[in-house]
Amino acid sequence: MTIAVGDKVPAATLKEMGDGGPQSVETGDLFGGRKVVAFCVPGAFTPTCSAKHLPGFVDKADAIRAKGVDDVVCVAVNDPFVMGAWGEQQGAAGKVRMLADGSGDLAKAMGVELDLSGLGLGVRARRYSMIVEDGTVTQLNLEDGGAFEVSSAEKILEQL
């Protein structure tokens, strides 16, 4: 079952690169008692994700936070080392937190898996953006297939 507006973000452990290596980030801590904009990309360093999706949120992070958002996070089914390197390459530090859903546990729990095995990429997550308030999804922009039409930073700014 796919997550929907009004649902709680499922419990999962994500990973984020820290000074000493990968650090665990529990979704309950990330989203609980806070207003968070989260977006997911099918893969770090992939064309649309690197040219449009992540750069849009890096560029608009200050404007998003100015609307009362506590955190802006990027999630992908990649390992934390890849997410950390991609964040560095994209200038995300201090703007967008780069979180790894390495085994796709959050993607599975949300019902947003995307099977890209035919392209040699394995099972990933569909592209989306969402606004989460105190753990509850209040806006969800879920893309079909590999599209990038409704999950942009500009769309999130309209919804805030």
Side-chain angles (χ1 to χ4, degrees):
M1 193 165 202
T2 304
I3 196 163
V5 170
D7 291 346
K8 288 282 192 185
V9 175
T13 302
L14 304 172
K15 297 287 185 178
E16 179 176 35
M17 284 305 293
D19 292 336
Q23 308 291 318
S24 293
V25 177
E26 301 298 327
T27 55
D29 296 333
L30 178 65
F31 295 112
R34 311 171 73 219
K35 187 173 187 176
V36 177
V37 166
F39 65 101
C40 183
V41 298
F45 292 105
T46 56
T48 301
C49 306
S50 292
K52 296 179 183 175
H53 209 175
L54 177 56
F57 280 93
V58 169
D59 290 344
K60 305 274 191 261
D62 291 338
I64 291 169
R65 281 197 176 82
K67 301 260 186 181
V69 171
D70 297 303
D71 223 344
V72 180
V73 300
C74 175
V75 180
V77 179
N78 284 113
D79 68 67
F81 298 97
V82 167
M83 292 299 286
W86 190 39
E88 283 180 30
Q89 188 254 350
Q90 291 280 326
K95 296 180 180 194
V96 176
R97 291 176 67 185
M98 306 299 289
L99 303 179
D101 183 19
S103 298
D105 294 338
L106 180 61
K108 290 174 199 154
M110 289 177 56
V112 296
E113 307 98 304
L114 176 63
D115 188 352
L116 296 175
S117 298
L119 299 173
L121 299 173
V123 177
R124 301 293 182 107
R126 287 171 61 187
R127 184 183 310 279
Y128 64 81
S129 62
M130 64 181 177
I131 300 170
V132 181
E133 297 184 48
D134 193 22
T136 300
V137 178
T138 59
Q139 295 286 336
L140 178 64
N141 309 303
L142 187 60
E143 302 281 5
D144 290 321
F148 179 58
E149 298 169 356
V150 298
S151 61
S152 68
E154 291 82 8
K155 179 70 171 180
I156 284 289
L157 276 168
E158 290 173 12
Q159 295 172 322
L160 286 168

